[in-house]
Amino acid sequence: MSVNITPRPEDKFSFGIWTVGWQGTDVFGTAVRPPMPADRAVRKLAELGAYGVNFHDNDVFDFSATEAERDERIAAFRKALSETGLVVTTATTNLFGHPMFKDGAFTANERSVRRFAIAKVMRNLDLAAELGARHYVFWGGREGAESGAAKDIRAALDRYAEAMNTLCAYVQDNGYGIRFVIEPKPNEPRGDILLPTLGHALAFIGSLEHEEMVGINPEVGHEEMAGLNYAHGITQALWHGKLFHIDLNGQNGPRYDQDLRFGAGNARGAFWVVDALEAGGYDGPVHFDYKPPRTEDDAGVWDSAAACMRNYLILREKVRAFRADPEVIEAMATSRIPELSEPTLSPGETWRDVRGAASSTDVEALAVRGMGYEHLDQLALEHLYGVR
Amino acid sequence: MSVNITPRPEDKFSFGIWTVGWQGTDVFGTAVRPPMPADRAVRKLAELGAYGVNFHDNDVFDFSATEAERDERIAAFRKALSETGLVVTTATTNLFGHPMFKDGAFTANERSVRRFAIAKVMRNLDLAAELGARHYVFWGGREGAESGAAKDIRAALDRYAEAMNTLCAYVQDNGYGIRFVIEPKPNEPRGDILLPTLGHALAFIGSLEHEEMVGINPEVGHEEMAGLNYAHGITQALWHGKLFHIDLNGQNGPRYDQDLRFGAGNARGAFWVVDALEAGGYDGPVHFDYKPPRTEDDAGVWDSAAACMRNYLILREKVRAFRADPEVIEAMATSRIPELSEPTLSPGETWRDVRGAASSTDVEALAVRGMGYEHLDQLALEHLYGVR
Amino acid sequence: MSVNITPRPEDKFSFGIWTVGWQGTDVFGTAVRPPMPADRAVRKLAELGAYGVNFHDNDVFDFSATEAERDERIAAFRKALSETGLVVTTATTNLFGHPMFKDGAFTANERSVRRFAIAKVMRNLDLAAELGARHYVFWGGREGAESGAAKDIRAALDRYAEAMNTLCAYVQDNGYGIRFVIEPKPNEPRGDILLPTLGHALAFIGSLEHEEMVGINPEVGHEEMAGLNYAHGITQALWHGKLFHIDLNGQNGPRYDQDLRFGAGNARGAFWVVDALEAGGYDGPVHFDYKPPRTEDDAGVWDSAAACMRNYLILREKVRAFRADPEVIEAMATSRIPELSEPTLSPGETWRDVRGAASSTDVEALAVRGMGYEHLDQLALEHLYGVR
Amino acid sequence: MSVNITPRPEDKFSFGIWTVGWQGTDVFGTAVRPPMPADRAVRKLAELGAYGVNFHDNDVFDFSATEAERDERIAAFRKALSETGLVVTTATTNLFGHPMFKDGAFTANERSVRRFAIAKVMRNLDLAAELGARHYVFWGGREGAESGAAKDIRAALDRYAEAMNTLCAYVQDNGYGIRFVIEPKPNEPRGDILLPTLGHALAFIGSLEHEEMVGINPEVGHEEMAGLNYAHGITQALWHGKLFHIDLNGQNGPRYDQDLRFGAGNARGAFWVVDALEAGGYDGPVHFDYKPPRTEDDAGVWDSAAACMRNYLILREKVRAFRADPEVIEAMATSRIPELSEPTLSPGETWRDVRGAASSTDVEALAVRGMGYEHLDQLALEHLYGVR
């Protein structure tokens, strides 16, 4: 296999400023790396071949920054963008770091927290629009509860929708041309988080006033924390026309949020993720939301960032080779994969035409006929292994 | 606490015929109990105080029954219903037991399997309508895959929707007045099942032609297998107006589908499940979909069935006492629970009125203010313990 | 049920200084509560009725404290102990918070880290001995890896054993009379942690030079993160004579380490945990290792701490009532629970006497005989509910 | 990469007769494949290049077979072995399929079940010895409970040990030269199974009378059902000298027992499993305990069996290439992997020599030094991908 492993702009690789900038603070230990100014992240990512970045407001300036400090940090960020040619594909709001958000933001019991949160988003939407972001992410990491009575879930969903509706109006009234994306997560840092899977988020979006403006931004690890198949999930999202953005990384099943680099974690699943994106015609940013492990120094940060892109390109080459392999095509035919694309009812048929199907079906023949999936899956695995 | 533990018709307790009828066959062992005719299940459930039953076609007659055998078994079932006064609240189709369904039913790659499956549902819908069922369940247990290429997920969702649309038309054209409910499950018996959580199912329903006819039937254990909070999930479903039916049972987190009796498994979660149903005004059948463990003989089957209802009544009494407890009401006020029901924007306000909220917010005061949830949750736990 | 809910010294309740002192820093947010000096924790816990405390060296003084600062903080701690009468039941070492431990302590690849770590333990063992601690905990939270080649597991186990052997010698040579306890955890903060369950730790202990000095300190949440039954686990540990210490808290299955207060989380499991401790004659400290959720202020911290003890006492009363309930005793007989305590071979029998058992066994009778467990478990659940 | 993918006898590949013979019966559906006589399994496995087989007594003859039927089936089995040259590496007992074992076998509450179970093992040990098996497996799949009071765990461990001790004596007294291996599993088919992980089993073995005769047979899927790292686990077992046998297959984390073919499931984990076996000098049978999915017909059964061996050989080639890659060796040095093999104490040192280590350690230098694991792991991943 010859893989072109040099990331190109058309690959649309992007990173969160907070990913390479993560200092390694966790529940059990303090920072292992110094703070990374947003502009340094931009310059280093550009060197590695990234196309764009995504940022929280407080990735660029501190929560408590003065206006002057804010302006200064934004100017440095903007300068780095300008000099490197990196685009801001996406932006988001930090509504989880400050203690005031300990009970949530849009669904905090305290109304003044909710109002503050909406205002904080609006302010960063202005910056996002100015910097040309096309998508704006809502990860409601603190919208949830550890115990049953702590959150009136019905009221919380009302408030969640109210916030989203208000912010949709804000974008529309300001003519920003930004689309919203909700990023689901089942738990951590809250015991249970609202809109825990991409399915729940998709359903919720259907209840919003401007549902056409809102899609989802599912993250590999967040879905896999619930034991769900991410490739299946994003394909359902594509089927609904709602996969506006993706967050790629790695995870080893139900446990704490690992945010491994893409490719690490569920390696076999990663192959099918790339296949699902290719097959589904996804054309948004290929965004990495991972954390360089706490064992790494600055060099390790960039090694891991580069590896995210490299692994995507390797896997993309593999899935293309898999889909083009004549033996695979034959195995798919044997497994009747194309037959599933044939409507169950012929053109013009109604239930009346199917009503009697049972009597004419050779049940026993169908019972014994094998699907040939093990052969087909082994071909896929050998493409992953690089031995075909 | 004095609990009225005698199930009454207005409690709307119902059971699947297959629950008490489960013979105990699993992957590792053969049946431990003899087959139970549906009519016997009806009579025994009636004795215990159940209100209704739910049945798969093949709970009443075998897959390969002749017409005469079918008629005979249905007659016996109907006679038992008539004599006991039990109602058929719900019905469903066995689209998973026969080897012909090994690759699914509505989403089987084989078109003839799909047509057979739809016809099989139609036939049982006739019986369901005749017996007065108001809801018809779709649990797509075999709609899924063990490996990535085995199922074209986009095509599968097309076929799934096609089947549902066809069957909605069937019900409407026949004037049956039956509503459909989809029962999600993440995995088992397939490696990954389509529509794995109630969220995914709710989103899917939004894409159906007659979405108003279709709701969900979430099962405690199925959601908890994905580590999700069932009480939160059904509250979201209620919020969408889609909780048409429920399946109560018990589970101990991510592992095989345990189908424990209601109350066993996540006992603290069960308290909040009953609370969510009470608070949300759910008025459908309170249905139990559990399996008497393989250790039990016939007496144990009925002990466990009776305990499902008993535990529901005990918990209902507890949640009512919890909600009425003055100390709880005070603790809720301290935790600002009612404040979440106040819209974030005052009547007439738009985003313009919130835009400046940040500057007038006392961030530090909000940061240090505690929520009082531990006190509130402890009160709930003491109601569960029965020590308040 | 009348429960004496006033903790008494003979209940041996103890808390980690770090539990009530947790400031709420997590991966996604900063501290929500101010630092709590160890002496304040001691005084407040004494007020609530605790019997003892457990501390990491750096709960009392900072990692980088000067000798003078260290002495001052220890003096304040000691004064509080002396004035309140609280005992130091247990102590431990912080080998995870500082960045130098990012790759582990006893199993860090860097030899100088390993040597530092052993020295750090020795120094705190001196203090522990001086303060009268009987147990010293080893939680190797950073002993592990995120990726396959990062840790030579065989070498790591050699080093782990070497460290434990060296420290056993230290305790013995100094005549400290302290026993060691290993606290297992499957993952978090490392991707996979060495000695991930109590079983792995028990096996490891069997390979140590002074295995008689070393037992385990299993934590409810750590075992439940792996989906394991904690009551079963501690009973196996008691069977091995190795349950020297316990860490009680709450968890909701495989996910991040929740450290809920005892009673919250798996409420039904908590009942069996207390039963296992009572039945097994455990007489060590009843230690709580939990974290007051980030939503709580100082008042919430103490509410949750008090609730840990209260819940233990409530559950203890319940399990005693359960075991004394004549209907339970009868149900146990029906389930042949006592029969399991009869040796399978009669006194004097060898395999020769059993060899022919098959031919004389009434297999069919055994196949159909039910175990009555649902009835028995329902009685237990009703004791948990407080309705018996 | 050029991989010799033809299994050879020295590869020691073996299969359970029950693996390829699984008919596909599960909780939700009936058999999809006809019964497979043991002799047919032997002949087909020989064709594929297997070296040996493992069998349960009731894989060869039915539980209720007459002596004549038993003899006939054994004769056919033996003939197939003889004609193909396949060896019986291992044998085991079916103590879980028949309803009489619904509450367990060695730990069933019923003493007569326990005696029957021990006798059943003895009888099959005779056959195993006669057929030359070197290992005999104990998978206690029904030794467990669904509820807390149903099993007196301490008594159950006594009975478990009693059974093992009795059977060790049987083997010794008969001079069979067979070693025992315990296969742990956390749950399914029981709610919680005794000896749930390889750690618990190792600890238990340490309490047996003839612990030197007893090792473990960990299965990939069983450990991964608890979220545990299998490669770490078997390395600990090797460290204890107790990895007598292995069961390779595939699993996707905590869920039902999937028994996927080796290579499927956790593909990245499989690489490290083979590495651990190679590095640890494991020389027992490389045994596959998987189930051909229910979607497969007879051809699919053999495709999947062949793929198990093929994937092992592919991965073995990869891990050897990884370990020999100069860039890997350099990266390992950078990550100080070899340094972990250096004892922490120099020859002749005691704790006295380490006691002062803290003062001379350059803590800050260690704090900032990165481990380089991301680079190293990326090299491993690229070996898995076959792009190096």
Side-chain angles (χ1 to χ4, degrees), chain C residues 59-77:
Chain C
D59 297 337
V60 179
F61 49 88
D62 286 349
F63 179 91
S64 54
T66 62
E67 288 299 300
E69 286 162 350
R70 183 177 182 278
D71 291 347
E72 184 188 359
R73 302 303 294 268
I74 291 171
F77 181 48

Side-chain angles (χ1 to χ4, degrees), chain D residues 35-45 80 298 302:
Chain D
M36 184 182 299
D39 55 307
R40 177 162 188 257
V42 167
R43 289 180 206 281
K44 293 291 294 185
L45 289 168
D298 191 65
W302 307 115

Side-chain angles (χ1 to χ4, degrees), chain C residues 56 98 114 132 140 153 277 364 366:
Chain C
H56 297 91
H98 193 277
R114 302 197 297 268
I153 299 299
L277 293 171
E364 288 318 306
L366 292 168

Side-chain angles (χ1 to χ4, degrees), chain A residues 102-103 110-111 114-115 126 159 173 239 336 339-340 342-344 346 349 351 355 369 373, chain B residues 102-103 110-111 114-115 126 158 173 336 339-340 342-344 346 349 351 355 369 373:
Chain A
K102 60 183 175 292
D103 183 46
E110 295 262 8
R111 186 168 176 263
R114 302 197 297 268
R115 290 173 75 89
D126 297 345
R159 295 294 80 71
D173 291 350
W239 187 77
R336 287 87 81 195
E339 192 174 332
L340 189 58
E342 295 172 30
T344 303
S346 301
E349 280 193 332
W351 60 261
R355 183 69 176 79
R369 195 175 302 167
Y373 291 154
Chain B
K102 60 184 174 293
D103 182 46
E110 296 262 8
R111 187 168 176 264
R114 303 198 297 266
R115 290 173 74 90
D126 297 346
D158 283 341
D173 291 352
R336 288 87 81 196
E339 193 174 331
L340 189 57
E342 293 173 30
T344 303
S346 301
E349 281 192 330
W351 59 261
R355 183 69 177 78
R369 195 176 301 166
Y373 291 154

Side-chain angles (χ1 to χ4, degrees), chain A residues 57-341:
Chain A
D57 45 1
N58 302 139
D59 296 339
V60 179
F61 49 89
D62 285 349
F63 179 92
S64 55
T66 63
E67 287 300 298
E69 288 162 350
R70 183 177 183 276
D71 291 347
E72 184 187 0
R73 302 303 296 269
I74 291 172
F77 181 46
R78 192 194 308 266
K79 183 158 181 286
L81 290 167
S82 163
E83 290 175 6
T84 59
L86 244 62
V87 301
V88 167
T89 62
T90 318
T92 185
T93 330
N94 186 324
L95 297 174
F96 46 85
H98 193 276
M100 76 179 294
F101 299 125
K102 60 183 175 292
D103 183 46
F106 296 161
T107 68
N109 283 357
E110 295 262 8
R111 186 168 176 263
S112 56
V113 172
R114 302 197 297 268
R115 290 173 75 89
F116 181 95
I118 292 173
K120 191 170 193 281
V121 176
M122 287 193 268
R123 184 145 200 218
N124 206 45
L125 273 167
D126 297 345
L127 178 58
E130 193 184 323
L131 295 175
R134 305 294 306 274
H135 293 99
Y136 200 89
V137 175
F138 294 84
W139 172 63
R142 298 275 183 207
E143 319 287 3
E146 284 72 42
S147 55
K151 197 58 56 181
D152 177 334
I153 299 299
R154 175 179 283 270
L157 292 169
D158 283 340
R159 295 294 80 71
Y160 218 144
E162 184 187 11
M164 296 302 295
N165 290 337
T166 301
L167 291 164
C168 282
Y170 184 72
V171 163
Q172 291 197 325
D173 291 350
N174 285 283
Y176 281 158
I178 283 175
R179 296 196 300 180
F180 287 167
V181 285
I182 294 177
E183 178 174 333
K185 190 176 184 185
N187 57 69
E188 196 197 2
R190 302 306 301 273
D192 292 291
I193 298 179
L194 290 166
L195 311 180
T197 77
L198 67 83
H200 295 74
L202 288 169
F204 173 76
I205 290 166
S207 297
L208 298 179
E209 285 173 11
H210 297 284
E211 63 170 297
E212 74 290 350
M213 274 183 65
V214 188
I216 61 168
N217 177 45
E219 178 175 312
V220 174
H222 294 178
E223 304 298 314
E224 292 188 352
M225 286 165 72
L228 301 176
N229 184 312
Y230 183 75
H232 285 198
I234 60 176
T235 302
Q236 183 174 348
L238 284 161
W239 187 77
H240 288 288
K242 286 298 188 190
L243 190 70
F244 292 179
H245 201 272
I246 48 165
D247 270 13
L248 299 184
N249 60 15
Q251 176 75 16
N252 290 304
R255 64 183 61 183
Y256 75 99
D257 186 12
Q258 295 193 276
D259 280 340
L260 302 170
R261 75 186 191 283
F262 182 64
N266 178 1
R268 187 163 164 261
F271 178 93
W272 296 111
V273 168
V274 178
D275 181 66
L277 292 172
E278 288 278 301
Y282 174 78
D283 66 354
V286 175
H287 186 69
F288 300 105
D289 188 0
Y290 84 109
K291 290 191 172 69
R294 213 168 165 275
T295 50
E296 303 304 302
D297 60 14
D298 191 64
V301 167
W302 307 115
D303 282 347
S304 60
C308 286
M309 294 185 284
R310 181 172 168 85
N311 291 340
Y312 190 91
L313 292 173
I314 290 169
L315 289 168
R316 191 175 67 187
E317 195 78 7
K318 287 180 183 295
V319 301
R320 287 175 180 172
F322 169 73
R323 290 283 170 188
D325 180 342
E327 199 174 339
V328 167
I329 292 165
E330 187 187 332
M332 287 198 170
T334 301
S335 293
R336 287 87 81 195
I337 304 295
E339 192 174 332
L340 189 58
S341 291

